[in-house]
Amino acid sequence: MPVDPLHRAGKPQRSTTSQPTNGSRASAIEVRRSTRRRRTVSAYREGDRTVVLIPARMSEAEEQRWVTVMLDKLAAQESRRALGDTELAERAQRLSAQYFDGRARPASVRWVTNQNTRWGSCTPSEGSIRLSHRLQGMPEYVVDYVLCHELAHLLVPGHGPRFWRLLEAYPRTERARGYLEGVVAAQRLPRVPAVHDG
């Protein structure tokens, strides 16, 4: 179902507001049900809230599933808008403040194109963080996880228990790791040759 920020489907039959459950940047989610909608679901940002438009006949379980799907689609769209190195550094500062009490202070944060076997790297002695360009276009929470991972290395260099306890502060760690593992697994699948009809 396409994300359609310009489509407003009549007067909503019911509207609910809740806090996001997925680390979305919006502060609230508003679900608007419409009797005019038959199958389509759409979502858009409206100030500090996310509005999700769904058919009135949808069950509560379907509503919850579609809210999650649409939040992920919006996050992916927002992440695709290329973040420059300056925005990436600002994002790292915000994440450090939010999850590490501002203790992780990188001297530089930038995209690089020479990391094809890892998603990010950190040199604690220099305070530098580098993220692979392959992350560009992935959902926001995945990029945030890799940034948090590298920020945590500024505080704890290795991957011991102390490091993982520190990283637990980021609530979408497991989901982001699963996403990245899925990307790696998909890249290992054999390529099926295209079939052309003559």
Side-chain angles (χ1 to χ4, degrees), residues 11-20 28-34 37 41-44 46 49-56 58-60 62-68 70-71:
K11 189 173 180 175
Q13 178 187 29
R14 184 176 64 91
S15 179
T16 58
T17 303
S18 62
Q19 294 303 313
I29 301 161
E30 181 178 340
V31 176
R32 295 181 187 167
R33 289 177 173 259
S34 171
R37 271 183 187 268
V41 176
S42 61
Y44 60 94
E46 187 176 79
R49 72 178 50 226
T50 300
V51 177
V52 181
L53 306 169
I54 65 172
M58 250 187 206
S59 70
E60 291 295 320
E62 288 175 308
E63 174 183 318
Q64 287 305 311
R65 185 176 72 80
W66 275 107
V67 165
T68 300
M70 298 313 283
L71 287 173

Side-chain angles (χ1 to χ4, degrees), residues 9 15 17 35 42 47-48 59 63-64 69 79 82 92 100 107 112 120-121 134 138 140-141 143 154-155 173 191:
S15 179
T17 303
T35 53
S42 61
D48 67 346
S59 70
E63 174 183 318
Q64 287 305 311
V69 166
S79 180
F100 306 116
V112 293
S121 62
R134 295 177 303 139
M138 289 191 188
E140 194 174 81
Y141 73 92
V143 176
L154 291 177
L155 303 172
T173 290
R191 299 279 182 238

Side-chain angles (χ1 to χ4, degrees), residues 84-150:
D85 289 349
T86 303
E87 293 89 357
L88 200 60
E90 289 169 356
R91 196 153 163 184
Q93 285 179 334
R94 284 195 305 273
L95 290 167
S96 176
Q98 187 172 0
Y99 299 111
F100 306 116
D101 299 320
R103 293 179 295 129
R105 295 188 187 104
S108 68
V109 183
R110 62 191 173 93
W111 295 107
V112 293
T113 57
N114 63 350
Q115 288 191 51
N116 295 314
T117 58
R118 51 177 139 171
W119 300 111
S121 62
C122 172
T123 307
S125 61
E126 298 172 2
S128 62
I129 291 175
R130 295 160 304 280
L131 262 58
S132 172
H133 71 286
R134 295 177 303 139
L135 288 165
Q136 292 174 329
M138 289 191 188
E140 194 174 81
Y141 73 92
V142 176
V143 176
D144 285 352
Y145 162 72
V146 176
L147 276 172
C148 283
H149 186 107
E150 302 310 332

Side-chain angles (χ1 to χ4, degrees), residues 152-169:
H153 277 311
L154 291 177
L155 303 172
V156 180
H159 286 109
R162 204 169 133 239
F163 171 83
W164 292 111
R165 276 195 305 275
L166 191 61
L167 196 53
E168 285 174 2

